[in-house]
Amino acid sequence: MSDLAAAYQRLAEAIQDVARLEGAEGVLLEWVVVTAHQHYDDRGDPQVQVGQWVPGGGDQVPYHRLLGLLDYATTMRRHEIGEP
């Protein structure tokens, strides 16, 4: 197993652990992790990279399902923001 494949396996296991501790039940079907990383270029200007991490690097979950997960998460966050 490559280092990258092993890292994805550890990530999936960590997501399962967090979900279980947060009260999730059942089998983890799909997941998406979105990250933002900031660094500074040679001129000292801040640069931000946004990454999306999905099972196996992206080949295991169809785009329509990933987009559905992201859309649902965005909708829920917008609802939380809009609550008084």
Side-chain angles (χ1 to χ4, degrees):
M1 179 181 292
S2 72
D3 289 344
L4 183 59
Y8 271 106
Q9 180 63 37
R10 290 190 308 272
L11 179 57
E13 291 168 0
I15 291 168
Q16 290 178 27
D17 287 345
V18 169
R20 179 182 49 81
L21 293 168
E22 290 284 351
E25 297 178 3
V27 177
L28 177 64
L29 297 177
E30 293 139 0
W31 51 268
V32 179
V33 175
V34 179
T35 63
H37 294 87
Q38 182 171 341
H39 69 278
Y40 294 90
D41 65 17
D42 295 338
R43 298 184 322 198
D45 295 325
Q47 303 292 316
V48 176
Q49 294 174 302
V50 176
Q52 299 176 51
W53 317 110
V54 296
D59 295 336
Q60 297 179 4
V61 181
Y63 284 126
H64 70 279
R65 293 180 76 172
L66 289 174
L67 291 172
L69 286 171
L70 291 168
D71 188 45
Y72 179 79
T74 302
T75 299
M76 294 303 294
R77 294 299 165 252
R78 286 185 175 144
H79 175 74
E80 290 173 3
I81 293 168
E83 289 184 345

